[in-house]
Amino acid sequence: MKVRDLSFKLSSIFDIKKYEYIDKSLNGLQVGNLDSKVTRVAFAVDASYSTLKEAKGNDFLITHHGIFWSKKERIISNMYDKIKFLIENNLALYSVHLPMDAHSIYSHSKVFSDFLGLKNPFGFANYGGFNLGIIADSNFSFSEILEKIKKENKHILFFKKFKESVNKVAIVSGSGYSFFEEALYHGIDLFITGDTSHQIYSLAEECGVSLIFAGHYFTETFGLIKLMEDFKIQEDLEVKFICKDTNL
């Protein structure tokens, strides 16, 4: 497999063209030699310089957050260093942001929901015509859900239990707090997202909806890890997940 083949496969999986006018980030192959061979693929949330250095020795790096967030970037300073490193080490960089958030299989919110053992998921948190979140049924209590998350994440930012029983859960990975009021219309008992938000606390208290702010980084690992596991099974590739937890 070559860089162009893997890039084409990923762009087909995530149908990135339909997000061009909605997602300001530059989805797809951001840096790479199309004719280079790919046998080792790394996965990471952020294309930080420390991530790139740890990915050295791989042929292809897939991230949720890339290095280009628009089509008008200056190649100077940190940006210059990253691109220079990628080229000198023949490391291709492919990034997939909103197309992953909204994907039916690899959405972080959907995979997080599966991890928690929730049932009957349906999409919500509409952004530009695409659902970024999941609402699903729960057979677990607040304490049981919190314990599951704590086993995987030592850096939960904040949680508040307004009720122990949980019949319906809303999940939006990353910065999903702006979708809280939309989630309330579905009669949720628990709202889970990444970033903290003071502005929804009082409303959550008044409505009796418990909160878990599990961390932006942590909530955006799920889709990447599932994609990595599927690649390990389906493709003749060596795979690796690079953990650079920001604790945020």
Side-chain angles (χ1 to χ4, degrees):
M1 182 181 290
K2 292 185 177 181
V3 167
R4 66 160 47 86
D5 302 319
L6 183 51
S7 297
F8 180 79
K9 181 180 180 69
L10 287 164
S11 295
S12 297
I13 289 172
F14 290 101
D15 198 6
I16 64 172
K17 285 189 176 180
K18 72 180 182 181
Y19 297 90
E20 286 180 347
Y21 302 104
I22 302 165
D23 193 356
K24 294 180 180 180
S25 59
L26 189 61
N27 293 295
L29 187 67
Q30 296 194 342
V31 179
N33 178 353
L34 295 176
D35 292 318
S36 289
K37 188 177 180 180
V38 179
T39 59
R40 297 178 301 276
V41 181
F43 296 75
V45 174
D46 303 300
S48 64
Y49 194 48
S50 62
T51 296
L52 301 189
K53 288 192 289 185
E54 191 164 332
K56 184 178 179 179
N58 288 276
D59 309 302
F60 202 98
L61 173 63
I62 301 171
T63 66
H64 188 48
H65 303 139
I67 59 175
F68 292 107
W69 288 92
S70 74
K71 296 180 180 179
K72 297 179 180 179
E73 299 279 357
R74 296 182 185 275
I75 312 303
I76 59 174
S77 190
N78 294 352
M79 181 69 76
Y80 177 88
D81 293 337
K82 290 177 184 178
I83 292 175
K84 182 173 182 285
F85 184 91
L86 288 164
I87 293 172
E88 288 182 345
N89 291 280
N90 199 26
L91 175 61
L93 173 64
Y94 187 103
S95 296
V96 55
H97 189 236
L98 189 62
M100 175 169 275
D101 290 328
H103 198 267
S104 59
I105 297 172
Y106 298 112
S107 155
H108 301 299
S109 301
K110 172 62 169 60
V111 183
F112 195 177
S113 170
D114 294 340
F115 162 73
L116 293 175
L118 306 181
K119 304 297 182 183
N120 306 316
F122 62 89
F124 93 110
N126 187 278
Y127 179 81
F130 299 97
N131 290 322
L132 308 183
I134 288 291
I135 290 177
D137 297 332
S138 167
N139 292 320
F140 305 101
S141 67
F142 175 87
S143 298
E144 289 171 326
I145 292 172
L146 181 63
E147 187 60 29
K148 278 189 178 184
I149 297 173
K150 281 184 172 180
K151 284 182 179 179
E152 298 295 323
N153 180 22
K154 308 298 183 189
H155 308 291
I156 293 177
L157 300 180
F158 177 83
F159 61 87
K160 182 66 177 182
K161 180 179 72 174
F162 289 118
K163 67 169 71 168
E164 178 67 9
S165 62
V166 177
N167 296 312
K168 193 167 288 187
V169 182
I171 301 175
V172 190
S173 64
S175 290
Y177 56 82
S178 62
F179 298 105
F180 180 67
E181 291 190 46
E182 181 185 343
L184 291 178
Y185 287 113
H186 296 280
I188 64 166
D189 305 293
L190 171 62
F191 184 80
I192 302 174
T193 189
D195 291 342
T196 55
S197 170
H198 175 268
Q199 68 194 59
I200 69 172
Y201 182 94
S202 296
L203 185 57
E205 182 180 32
E206 291 162 8
C207 296
V209 174
S210 299
L211 300 170
I212 299 178
F213 297 106
H216 194 124
Y217 177 91
F218 174 73
T219 60
E220 293 190 334
T221 60
F222 286 90
L224 286 162
I225 291 173
K226 178 169 177 54
L227 181 66
M228 180 186 70
E229 291 170 345
D230 287 353
F231 267 44
K232 186 176 182 179
I233 296 169
Q234 298 169 9
E235 308 291 342
D236 187 20
L237 297 168
E238 295 179 34
V239 298
K240 171 186 180 181
F241 185 78
I242 297 173
C243 180
K244 293 290 182 182
D245 195 343
T246 62
N247 299 342
L248 297 171

